[in-house]
Amino acid sequence: MGVKSYQSQAESLLKEYILADPLVPYTSIVGSIFACKMVYDLAQLISAVHFKSYSSFSNIQRVEWSNRAISTVHAIFITAMSLYFVFWSDLFLDNQLASLITFRSSFLSTFTLGVSVGYFLADLGMIIWFYPALGGMEYVIHHLLSIAATACAMLTGEAQFYTYMVLISETTTPGINLRWYLDKAGMKRSRAYLINGILMFLAWLVVRILFFMYIFYHIYLNVDQVKQCRTCVQILVFSVPVLLFIMNAVWFSKIVKGLVKTLAKQQ
């Protein structure tokens, strides 16, 4: 009886306080930051045991190694959730719902956005702390835009559909991180490195270039719904995807140049 009593009290505490609707965003953000710290520490422990080259890394290389582990875990999580919400969830696909698509949200969709906000905050903190070792000003701008758009959608419950469409671009992150890992492991001339470059090129083209054009088209078709959102949401919906697309195009040109160099070396 005592165990059941404690269990019921714990469940009640969880529902009434930690996961209560007004606290969901903040709970997910804090939980995400702690999860980032846990992944960082686990990456250090596992890498020290299972990767021989890890011991020869400088301190900043070890930091970046673990930092990329965090971004990879987040990318896999948010890509899966974004694909679910955009293409499979009845929340946004059910046309019989009375509410406009720009005003639809749920406990799960809000909680998931909070996880991303927590990750972007943690990663931005590391980028600034070790600046510019983990990335230059373009990474700071990218993360600030991501935090602004994701946090706004999370707190207002508006335009979450378009936020998830943009977050699908995180699909490319694991490939980018794998390329860095292969480079540091001395496998820059390997077939795996070449295949990674080709797949990264294709993924970036599809997800960060072509799919963004579809996002623009979708916003155009539903512009009347977007205009019913509060002003700050409208500004972010109309500006953030455009700014990110410009950054994606610049990075894509660098990927193309890198792939051409790699192919030339292979020949």
PDB file of all heavy atoms in Angstrom, residues 27-64:
ATOM      1  N   THR A  27       9.345  23.085 -18.759  1.00  0.00           N
ATOM      2  CA  THR A  27       9.793  21.749 -18.360  1.00  0.00           C
ATOM      3  C   THR A  27      10.596  21.095 -19.472  1.00  0.00           C
ATOM      4  O   THR A  27      11.655  20.505 -19.227  1.00  0.00           O
ATOM      5  CB  THR A  27       8.579  20.855 -18.024  1.00  0.00           C
ATOM      6  OG1 THR A  27       7.814  21.457 -16.988  1.00  0.00           O
ATOM      7  CG2 THR A  27       9.043  19.479 -17.573  1.00  0.00           C
ATOM      8  N   SER A  28      10.099  21.206 -20.700  1.00  0.00           N
ATOM      9  CA  SER A  28      10.783  20.578 -21.828  1.00  0.00           C
ATOM     10  C   SER A  28      12.125  21.254 -22.119  1.00  0.00           C
ATOM     11  O   SER A  28      13.096  20.582 -22.474  1.00  0.00           O
ATOM     12  CB  SER A  28       9.901  20.615 -23.077  1.00  0.00           C
ATOM     13  OG  SER A  28       9.510  21.937 -23.400  1.00  0.00           O
ATOM     14  N   ILE A  29      12.187  22.568 -21.943  1.00  0.00           N
ATOM     15  CA  ILE A  29      13.448  23.290 -22.178  1.00  0.00           C
ATOM     16  C   ILE A  29      14.503  22.861 -21.171  1.00  0.00           C
ATOM     17  O   ILE A  29      15.637  22.516 -21.537  1.00  0.00           O
ATOM     18  CB  ILE A  29      13.227  24.812 -22.110  1.00  0.00           C
ATOM     19  CG1 ILE A  29      12.399  25.293 -23.293  1.00  0.00           C
ATOM     20  CG2 ILE A  29      14.573  25.550 -22.078  1.00  0.00           C
ATOM     21  CD1 ILE A  29      11.990  26.755 -23.206  1.00  0.00           C
ATOM     22  N   VAL A  30      14.133  22.888 -19.899  1.00  0.00           N
ATOM     23  CA  VAL A  30      15.085  22.516 -18.838  1.00  0.00           C
ATOM     24  C   VAL A  30      15.499  21.055 -18.986  1.00  0.00           C
ATOM     25  O   VAL A  30      16.687  20.715 -18.882  1.00  0.00           O
ATOM     26  CB  VAL A  30      14.464  22.761 -17.449  1.00  0.00           C
ATOM     27  CG1 VAL A  30      15.378  22.217 -16.346  1.00  0.00           C
ATOM     28  CG2 VAL A  30      14.210  24.249 -17.234  1.00  0.00           C
ATOM     29  N   GLY A  31      14.526  20.187 -19.257  1.00  0.00           N
ATOM     30  CA  GLY A  31      14.837  18.771 -19.439  1.00  0.00           C
ATOM     31  C   GLY A  31      15.766  18.549 -20.618  1.00  0.00           C
ATOM     32  O   GLY A  31      16.674  17.703 -20.559  1.00  0.00           O
ATOM     33  N   SER A  32      15.563  19.303 -21.686  1.00  0.00           N
ATOM     34  CA  SER A  32      16.407  19.182 -22.872  1.00  0.00           C
ATOM     35  C   SER A  32      17.843  19.600 -22.585  1.00  0.00           C
ATOM     36  O   SER A  32      18.792  18.950 -23.037  1.00  0.00           O
ATOM     37  CB  SER A  32      15.836  20.035 -24.006  1.00  0.00           C
ATOM     38  OG  SER A  32      16.672  19.999 -25.147  1.00  0.00           O
ATOM     39  N   ILE A  33      18.008  20.682 -21.837  1.00  0.00           N
ATOM     40  CA  ILE A  33      19.361  21.146 -21.500  1.00  0.00           C
ATOM     41  C   ILE A  33      20.092  20.101 -20.664  1.00  0.00           C
ATOM     42  O   ILE A  33      21.278  19.820 -20.894  1.00  0.00           O
ATOM     43  CB  ILE A  33      19.289  22.499 -20.753  1.00  0.00           C
ATOM     44  CG1 ILE A  33      18.782  23.594 -21.705  1.00  0.00           C
ATOM     45  CG2 ILE A  33      20.656  22.876 -20.188  1.00  0.00           C
ATOM     46  CD1 ILE A  33      18.532  24.924 -21.037  1.00  0.00           C
ATOM     47  N   PHE A  34      19.395  19.506 -19.697  1.00  0.00           N
ATOM     48  CA  PHE A  34      20.006  18.442 -18.893  1.00  0.00           C
ATOM     49  C   PHE A  34      20.328  17.224 -19.758  1.00  0.00           C
ATOM     50  O   PHE A  34      21.358  16.572 -19.565  1.00  0.00           O
ATOM     51  CB  PHE A  34      19.081  18.045 -17.738  1.00  0.00           C
ATOM     52  CG  PHE A  34      19.200  18.924 -16.534  1.00  0.00           C
ATOM     53  CD1 PHE A  34      18.194  19.833 -16.211  1.00  0.00           C
ATOM     54  CD2 PHE A  34      20.318  18.868 -15.716  1.00  0.00           C
ATOM     55  CE1 PHE A  34      18.309  20.656 -15.101  1.00  0.00           C
ATOM     56  CE2 PHE A  34      20.450  19.684 -14.602  1.00  0.00           C
ATOM     57  CZ  PHE A  34      19.434  20.591 -14.294  1.00  0.00           C
ATOM     58  N   ALA A  35      19.455  16.913 -20.726  1.00  0.00           N
ATOM     59  CA  ALA A  35      19.706  15.788 -21.629  1.00  0.00           C
ATOM     60  C   ALA A  35      20.945  16.049 -22.484  1.00  0.00           C
ATOM     61  O   ALA A  35      21.732  15.131 -22.745  1.00  0.00           O
ATOM     62  CB  ALA A  35      18.485  15.555 -22.526  1.00  0.00           C
ATOM     63  N   CYS A  36      21.124  17.297 -22.909  1.00  0.00           N
ATOM     64  CA  CYS A  36      22.318  17.658 -23.684  1.00  0.00           C
ATOM     65  C   CYS A  36      23.586  17.424 -22.868  1.00  0.00           C
ATOM     66  O   CYS A  36      24.588  16.896 -23.380  1.00  0.00           O
ATOM     67  CB  CYS A  36      22.241  19.131 -24.111  1.00  0.00           C
ATOM     68  SG  CYS A  36      21.029  19.475 -25.400  1.00  0.00           S
ATOM     69  N   LYS A  37      23.543  17.802 -21.606  1.00  0.00           N
ATOM     70  CA  LYS A  37      24.685  17.589 -20.716  1.00  0.00           C
ATOM     71  C   LYS A  37      24.967  16.098 -20.543  1.00  0.00           C
ATOM     72  O   LYS A  37      26.134  15.661 -20.557  1.00  0.00           O
ATOM     73  CB  LYS A  37      24.392  18.233 -19.355  1.00  0.00           C
ATOM     74  CG  LYS A  37      25.398  17.913 -18.255  1.00  0.00           C
ATOM     75  CD  LYS A  37      26.804  18.378 -18.602  1.00  0.00           C
ATOM     76  CE  LYS A  37      27.741  18.136 -17.408  1.00  0.00           C
ATOM     77  NZ  LYS A  37      29.163  18.414 -17.759  1.00  0.00           N
ATOM     78  N   MET A  38      23.907  15.295 -20.430  1.00  0.00           N
ATOM     79  CA  MET A  38      24.061  13.857 -20.263  1.00  0.00           C
ATOM     80  C   MET A  38      24.688  13.227 -21.506  1.00  0.00           C
ATOM     81  O   MET A  38      25.609  12.407 -21.409  1.00  0.00           O
ATOM     82  CB  MET A  38      22.711  13.211 -19.976  1.00  0.00           C
ATOM     83  CG  MET A  38      22.783  11.706 -19.721  1.00  0.00           C
ATOM     84  SD  MET A  38      21.172  10.983 -19.390  1.00  0.00           S
ATOM     85  CE  MET A  38      20.415  11.151 -21.014  1.00  0.00           C
ATOM     86  N   VAL A  39      24.208  13.618 -22.690  1.00  0.00           N
ATOM     87  CA  VAL A  39      24.765  13.091 -23.939  1.00  0.00           C
ATOM     88  C   VAL A  39      26.224  13.502 -24.091  1.00  0.00           C
ATOM     89  O   VAL A  39      27.063  12.703 -24.525  1.00  0.00           O
ATOM     90  CB  VAL A  39      23.946  13.588 -25.153  1.00  0.00           C
ATOM     91  CG1 VAL A  39      24.624  13.192 -26.460  1.00  0.00           C
ATOM     92  CG2 VAL A  39      22.538  13.027 -25.100  1.00  0.00           C
ATOM     93  N   TYR A  40      26.532  14.729 -23.705  1.00  0.00           N
ATOM     94  CA  TYR A  40      27.913  15.232 -23.775  1.00  0.00           C
ATOM     95  C   TYR A  40      28.849  14.376 -22.923  1.00  0.00           C
ATOM     96  O   TYR A  40      29.921  13.955 -23.383  1.00  0.00           O
ATOM     97  CB  TYR A  40      27.941  16.686 -23.305  1.00  0.00           C
ATOM     98  CG  TYR A  40      29.297  17.356 -23.400  1.00  0.00           C
ATOM     99  CD1 TYR A  40      29.682  18.012 -24.561  1.00  0.00           C
ATOM    100  CD2 TYR A  40      30.180  17.329 -22.323  1.00  0.00           C
ATOM    101  CE1 TYR A  40      30.922  18.640 -24.646  1.00  0.00           C
ATOM    102  CE2 TYR A  40      31.414  17.944 -22.396  1.00  0.00           C
ATOM    103  CZ  TYR A  40      31.786  18.604 -23.557  1.00  0.00           C
ATOM    104  OH  TYR A  40      33.023  19.206 -23.641  1.00  0.00           O
ATOM    105  N   ASP A  41      28.432  14.104 -21.696  1.00  0.00           N
ATOM    106  CA  ASP A  41      29.262  13.306 -20.786  1.00  0.00           C
ATOM    107  C   ASP A  41      29.388  11.855 -21.278  1.00  0.00           C
ATOM    108  O   ASP A  41      30.479  11.263 -21.213  1.00  0.00           O
ATOM    109  CB  ASP A  41      28.672  13.322 -19.380  1.00  0.00           C
ATOM    110  CG  ASP A  41      28.783  14.689 -18.726  1.00  0.00           C
ATOM    111  OD1 ASP A  41      29.623  15.490 -19.177  1.00  0.00           O
ATOM    112  OD2 ASP A  41      28.018  14.961 -17.771  1.00  0.00           O
ATOM    113  N   LEU A  42      28.279  11.286 -21.761  1.00  0.00           N
ATOM    114  CA  LEU A  42      28.319   9.917 -22.274  1.00  0.00           C
ATOM    115  C   LEU A  42      29.222   9.808 -23.501  1.00  0.00           C
ATOM    116  O   LEU A  42      29.954   8.822 -23.656  1.00  0.00           O
ATOM    117  CB  LEU A  42      26.905   9.449 -22.631  1.00  0.00           C
ATOM    118  CG  LEU A  42      25.994   9.082 -21.463  1.00  0.00           C
ATOM    119  CD1 LEU A  42      24.582   8.780 -21.968  1.00  0.00           C
ATOM    120  CD2 LEU A  42      26.545   7.878 -20.701  1.00  0.00           C
ATOM    121  N   ALA A  43      29.181  10.816 -24.356  1.00  0.00           N
ATOM    122  CA  ALA A  43      30.026  10.811 -25.551  1.00  0.00           C
ATOM    123  C   ALA A  43      31.502  10.808 -25.167  1.00  0.00           C
ATOM    124  O   ALA A  43      32.319  10.115 -25.791  1.00  0.00           O
ATOM    125  CB  ALA A  43      29.716  12.027 -26.419  1.00  0.00           C
ATOM    126  N   GLN A  44      31.852  11.563 -24.148  1.00  0.00           N
ATOM    127  CA  GLN A  44      33.236  11.586 -23.675  1.00  0.00           C
ATOM    128  C   GLN A  44      33.655  10.227 -23.123  1.00  0.00           C
ATOM    129  O   GLN A  44      34.755   9.733 -23.433  1.00  0.00           O
ATOM    130  CB  GLN A  44      33.401  12.659 -22.598  1.00  0.00           C
ATOM    131  CG  GLN A  44      33.416  14.086 -23.137  1.00  0.00           C
ATOM    132  CD  GLN A  44      33.731  15.097 -22.062  1.00  0.00           C
ATOM    133  OE1 GLN A  44      33.311  14.964 -20.901  1.00  0.00           O
ATOM    134  NE2 GLN A  44      34.479  16.133 -22.419  1.00  0.00           N
ATOM    135  N   LEU A  45      32.796   9.629 -22.313  1.00  0.00           N
ATOM    136  CA  LEU A  45      33.122   8.334 -21.709  1.00  0.00           C
ATOM    137  C   LEU A  45      33.258   7.234 -22.758  1.00  0.00           C
ATOM    138  O   LEU A  45      34.226   6.461 -22.755  1.00  0.00           O
ATOM    139  CB  LEU A  45      32.044   7.948 -20.691  1.00  0.00           C
ATOM    140  CG  LEU A  45      31.981   8.780 -19.403  1.00  0.00           C
ATOM    141  CD1 LEU A  45      30.752   8.405 -18.595  1.00  0.00           C
ATOM    142  CD2 LEU A  45      33.246   8.579 -18.574  1.00  0.00           C
ATOM    143  N   ILE A  46      32.293   7.165 -23.665  1.00  0.00           N
ATOM    144  CA  ILE A  46      32.299   6.116 -24.692  1.00  0.00           C
ATOM    145  C   ILE A  46      33.459   6.300 -25.657  1.00  0.00           C
ATOM    146  O   ILE A  46      34.140   5.339 -26.029  1.00  0.00           O
ATOM    147  CB  ILE A  46      30.965   6.113 -25.459  1.00  0.00           C
ATOM    148  CG1 ILE A  46      29.822   5.714 -24.514  1.00  0.00           C
ATOM    149  CG2 ILE A  46      31.018   5.158 -26.647  1.00  0.00           C
ATOM    150  CD1 ILE A  46      28.443   5.871 -25.114  1.00  0.00           C
ATOM    151  N   SER A  47      33.711   7.540 -26.055  1.00  0.00           N
ATOM    152  CA  SER A  47      34.772   7.817 -27.025  1.00  0.00           C
ATOM    153  C   SER A  47      36.149   7.491 -26.458  1.00  0.00           C
ATOM    154  O   SER A  47      37.016   6.971 -27.167  1.00  0.00           O
ATOM    155  CB  SER A  47      34.726   9.289 -27.444  1.00  0.00           C
ATOM    156  OG  SER A  47      33.484   9.611 -28.033  1.00  0.00           O
ATOM    157  N   ALA A  48      36.351   7.777 -25.166  1.00  0.00           N
ATOM    158  CA  ALA A  48      37.651   7.514 -24.537  1.00  0.00           C
ATOM    159  C   ALA A  48      37.970   6.026 -24.516  1.00  0.00           C
ATOM    160  O   ALA A  48      39.138   5.624 -24.565  1.00  0.00           O
ATOM    161  CB  ALA A  48      37.648   8.078 -23.121  1.00  0.00           C
ATOM    162  N   VAL A  49      36.932   5.192 -24.480  1.00  0.00           N
ATOM    163  CA  VAL A  49      37.120   3.740 -24.396  1.00  0.00           C
ATOM    164  C   VAL A  49      37.185   3.087 -25.771  1.00  0.00           C
ATOM    165  O   VAL A  49      38.011   2.207 -26.016  1.00  0.00           O
ATOM    166  CB  VAL A  49      35.986   3.102 -23.560  1.00  0.00           C
ATOM    167  CG1 VAL A  49      36.107   1.581 -23.566  1.00  0.00           C
ATOM    168  CG2 VAL A  49      36.014   3.634 -22.131  1.00  0.00           C
ATOM    169  N   HIS A  50      36.337   3.530 -26.703  1.00  0.00           N
ATOM    170  CA  HIS A  50      36.151   2.805 -27.962  1.00  0.00           C
ATOM    171  C   HIS A  50      36.825   3.438 -29.184  1.00  0.00           C
ATOM    172  O   HIS A  50      36.849   2.823 -30.245  1.00  0.00           O
ATOM    173  CB  HIS A  50      34.652   2.644 -28.248  1.00  0.00           C
ATOM    174  CG  HIS A  50      33.937   1.790 -27.236  1.00  0.00           C
ATOM    175  ND1 HIS A  50      34.056   0.415 -27.217  1.00  0.00           N
ATOM    176  CD2 HIS A  50      33.119   2.119 -26.195  1.00  0.00           C
ATOM    177  CE1 HIS A  50      33.329  -0.072 -26.232  1.00  0.00           C
ATOM    178  NE2 HIS A  50      32.746   0.937 -25.592  1.00  0.00           N
ATOM    179  N   PHE A  51      37.359   4.650 -29.069  1.00  0.00           N
ATOM    180  CA  PHE A  51      38.009   5.292 -30.214  1.00  0.00           C
ATOM    181  C   PHE A  51      39.462   5.617 -29.866  1.00  0.00           C
ATOM    182  O   PHE A  51      39.729   6.466 -29.015  1.00  0.00           O
ATOM    183  CB  PHE A  51      37.259   6.573 -30.611  1.00  0.00           C
ATOM    184  CG  PHE A  51      35.864   6.315 -31.112  1.00  0.00           C
ATOM    185  CD1 PHE A  51      34.776   6.405 -30.247  1.00  0.00           C
ATOM    186  CD2 PHE A  51      35.628   5.973 -32.437  1.00  0.00           C
ATOM    187  CE1 PHE A  51      33.489   6.165 -30.688  1.00  0.00           C
ATOM    188  CE2 PHE A  51      34.339   5.733 -32.891  1.00  0.00           C
ATOM    189  CZ  PHE A  51      33.273   5.823 -32.016  1.00  0.00           C
ATOM    190  N   LYS A  52      40.367   4.927 -30.540  1.00  0.00           N
ATOM    191  CA  LYS A  52      41.790   5.077 -30.230  1.00  0.00           C
ATOM    192  C   LYS A  52      42.295   6.493 -30.495  1.00  0.00           C
ATOM    193  O   LYS A  52      43.129   7.012 -29.760  1.00  0.00           O
ATOM    194  CB  LYS A  52      42.601   4.067 -31.045  1.00  0.00           C
ATOM    195  CG  LYS A  52      42.314   2.607 -30.696  1.00  0.00           C
ATOM    196  CD  LYS A  52      43.135   1.665 -31.547  1.00  0.00           C
ATOM    197  CE  LYS A  52      42.830   0.202 -31.201  1.00  0.00           C
ATOM    198  NZ  LYS A  52      43.618  -0.743 -32.029  1.00  0.00           N
ATOM    199  N   SER A  53      41.827   7.107 -31.573  1.00  0.00           N
ATOM    200  CA  SER A  53      42.322   8.435 -31.952  1.00  0.00           C
ATOM    201  C   SER A  53      41.853   9.525 -30.994  1.00  0.00           C
ATOM    202  O   SER A  53      42.410  10.621 -30.979  1.00  0.00           O
ATOM    203  CB  SER A  53      41.879   8.785 -33.375  1.00  0.00           C
ATOM    204  OG  SER A  53      40.466   8.728 -33.486  1.00  0.00           O
ATOM    205  N   TYR A  54      40.845   9.232 -30.178  1.00  0.00           N
ATOM    206  CA  TYR A  54      40.279  10.236 -29.278  1.00  0.00           C
ATOM    207  C   TYR A  54      41.320  10.747 -28.290  1.00  0.00           C
ATOM    208  O   TYR A  54      41.337  11.935 -27.954  1.00  0.00           O
ATOM    209  CB  TYR A  54      39.079   9.647 -28.529  1.00  0.00           C
ATOM    210  CG  TYR A  54      38.363  10.625 -27.626  1.00  0.00           C
ATOM    211  CD1 TYR A  54      37.449  11.530 -28.144  1.00  0.00           C
ATOM    212  CD2 TYR A  54      38.586  10.642 -26.244  1.00  0.00           C
ATOM    213  CE1 TYR A  54      36.787  12.430 -27.330  1.00  0.00           C
ATOM    214  CE2 TYR A  54      37.921  11.524 -25.419  1.00  0.00           C
ATOM    215  CZ  TYR A  54      37.018  12.421 -25.959  1.00  0.00           C
ATOM    216  OH  TYR A  54      36.372  13.317 -25.140  1.00  0.00           O
ATOM    217  N   SER A  55      42.199   9.870 -27.827  1.00  0.00           N
ATOM    218  CA  SER A  55      43.205  10.265 -26.829  1.00  0.00           C
ATOM    219  C   SER A  55      44.218  11.265 -27.383  1.00  0.00           C
ATOM    220  O   SER A  55      44.853  12.002 -26.624  1.00  0.00           O
ATOM    221  CB  SER A  55      43.942   9.026 -26.302  1.00  0.00           C
ATOM    222  OG  SER A  55      44.580   8.335 -27.364  1.00  0.00           O
ATOM    223  N   SER A  56      44.373  11.283 -28.706  1.00  0.00           N
ATOM    224  CA  SER A  56      45.339  12.195 -29.310  1.00  0.00           C
ATOM    225  C   SER A  56      44.735  13.566 -29.654  1.00  0.00           C
ATOM    226  O   SER A  56      45.437  14.465 -30.105  1.00  0.00           O
ATOM    227  CB  SER A  56      45.901  11.576 -30.598  1.00  0.00           C
ATOM    228  OG  SER A  56      44.877  11.376 -31.557  1.00  0.00           O
ATOM    229  N   PHE A  57      43.435  13.734 -29.416  1.00  0.00           N
ATOM    230  CA  PHE A  57      42.772  14.997 -29.727  1.00  0.00           C
ATOM    231  C   PHE A  57      43.181  16.091 -28.741  1.00  0.00           C
ATOM    232  O   PHE A  57      43.492  15.821 -27.579  1.00  0.00           O
ATOM    233  CB  PHE A  57      41.246  14.847 -29.667  1.00  0.00           C
ATOM    234  CG  PHE A  57      40.670  14.055 -30.812  1.00  0.00           C
ATOM    235  CD1 PHE A  57      39.343  13.652 -30.781  1.00  0.00           C
ATOM    236  CD2 PHE A  57      41.427  13.727 -31.924  1.00  0.00           C
ATOM    237  CE1 PHE A  57      38.786  12.925 -31.813  1.00  0.00           C
ATOM    238  CE2 PHE A  57      40.885  12.997 -32.971  1.00  0.00           C
ATOM    239  CZ  PHE A  57      39.567  12.595 -32.915  1.00  0.00           C
ATOM    240  N   SER A  58      43.133  17.316 -29.212  1.00  0.00           N
ATOM    241  CA  SER A  58      43.318  18.458 -28.319  1.00  0.00           C
ATOM    242  C   SER A  58      42.034  18.645 -27.507  1.00  0.00           C
ATOM    243  O   SER A  58      40.997  18.041 -27.804  1.00  0.00           O
ATOM    244  CB  SER A  58      43.595  19.724 -29.128  1.00  0.00           C
ATOM    245  OG  SER A  58      42.481  20.046 -29.947  1.00  0.00           O
ATOM    246  N   ASN A  59      42.078  19.491 -26.494  1.00  0.00           N
ATOM    247  CA  ASN A  59      40.896  19.709 -25.647  1.00  0.00           C
ATOM    248  C   ASN A  59      39.712  20.225 -26.444  1.00  0.00           C
ATOM    249  O   ASN A  59      38.576  19.781 -26.256  1.00  0.00           O
ATOM    250  CB  ASN A  59      41.239  20.692 -24.522  1.00  0.00           C
ATOM    251  CG  ASN A  59      42.148  20.071 -23.474  1.00  0.00           C
ATOM    252  OD1 ASN A  59      42.141  18.851 -23.289  1.00  0.00           O
ATOM    253  ND2 ASN A  59      42.920  20.892 -22.789  1.00  0.00           N
ATOM    254  N   ILE A  60      39.975  21.159 -27.358  1.00  0.00           N
ATOM    255  CA  ILE A  60      38.876  21.743 -28.138  1.00  0.00           C
ATOM    256  C   ILE A  60      38.315  20.733 -29.125  1.00  0.00           C
ATOM    257  O   ILE A  60      37.110  20.736 -29.416  1.00  0.00           O
ATOM    258  CB  ILE A  60      39.341  23.029 -28.865  1.00  0.00           C
ATOM    259  CG1 ILE A  60      38.113  23.789 -29.376  1.00  0.00           C
ATOM    260  CG2 ILE A  60      40.298  22.695 -29.979  1.00  0.00           C
ATOM    261  CD1 ILE A  60      37.162  24.249 -28.326  1.00  0.00           C
ATOM    262  N   GLN A  61      39.147  19.826 -29.631  1.00  0.00           N
ATOM    263  CA  GLN A  61      38.648  18.775 -30.517  1.00  0.00           C
ATOM    264  C   GLN A  61      37.754  17.800 -29.768  1.00  0.00           C
ATOM    265  O   GLN A  61      36.751  17.325 -30.299  1.00  0.00           O
ATOM    266  CB  GLN A  61      39.811  18.034 -31.169  1.00  0.00           C
ATOM    267  CG  GLN A  61      40.511  18.814 -32.273  1.00  0.00           C
ATOM    268  CD  GLN A  61      41.687  18.064 -32.862  1.00  0.00           C
ATOM    269  OE1 GLN A  61      42.413  17.351 -32.148  1.00  0.00           O
ATOM    270  NE2 GLN A  61      41.901  18.217 -34.156  1.00  0.00           N
ATOM    271  N   ARG A  62      38.111  17.523 -28.522  1.00  0.00           N
ATOM    272  CA  ARG A  62      37.267  16.646 -27.704  1.00  0.00           C
ATOM    273  C   ARG A  62      35.928  17.319 -27.403  1.00  0.00           C
ATOM    274  O   ARG A  62      34.888  16.657 -27.390  1.00  0.00           O
ATOM    275  CB  ARG A  62      37.978  16.300 -26.399  1.00  0.00           C
ATOM    276  CG  ARG A  62      39.227  15.446 -26.590  1.00  0.00           C
ATOM    277  CD  ARG A  62      39.858  15.068 -25.268  1.00  0.00           C
ATOM    278  NE  ARG A  62      41.071  14.304 -25.469  1.00  0.00           N
ATOM    279  CZ  ARG A  62      41.800  13.775 -24.478  1.00  0.00           C
ATOM    280  NH1 ARG A  62      41.410  13.952 -23.212  1.00  0.00           N
ATOM    281  NH2 ARG A  62      42.900  13.093 -24.745  1.00  0.00           N
ATOM    282  N   VAL A  63      35.971  18.624 -27.166  1.00  0.00           N
ATOM    283  CA  VAL A  63      34.735  19.371 -26.932  1.00  0.00           C
ATOM    284  C   VAL A  63      33.837  19.301 -28.169  1.00  0.00           C
ATOM    285  O   VAL A  63      32.640  19.033 -28.071  1.00  0.00           O
ATOM    286  CB  VAL A  63      35.043  20.843 -26.580  1.00  0.00           C
ATOM    287  CG1 VAL A  63      33.764  21.676 -26.608  1.00  0.00           C
ATOM    288  CG2 VAL A  63      35.702  20.933 -25.214  1.00  0.00           C
ATOM    289  N   GLU A  64      34.424  19.537 -29.343  1.00  0.00           N
ATOM    290  CA  GLU A  64      33.635  19.510 -30.574  1.00  0.00           C
ATOM    291  C   GLU A  64      33.120  18.098 -30.868  1.00  0.00           C
ATOM    292  O   GLU A  64      32.002  17.937 -31.376  1.00  0.00           O
ATOM    293  CB  GLU A  64      34.464  20.019 -31.752  1.00  0.00           C
ATOM    294  CG  GLU A  64      33.659  20.125 -33.033  1.00  0.00           C
ATOM    295  CD  GLU A  64      34.350  20.897 -34.128  1.00  0.00           C
ATOM    296  OE1 GLU A  64      35.513  21.319 -33.924  1.00  0.00           O
ATOM    297  OE2 GLU A  64      33.739  21.076 -35.196  1.00  0.00           O
TER     298      GLU A  64
END
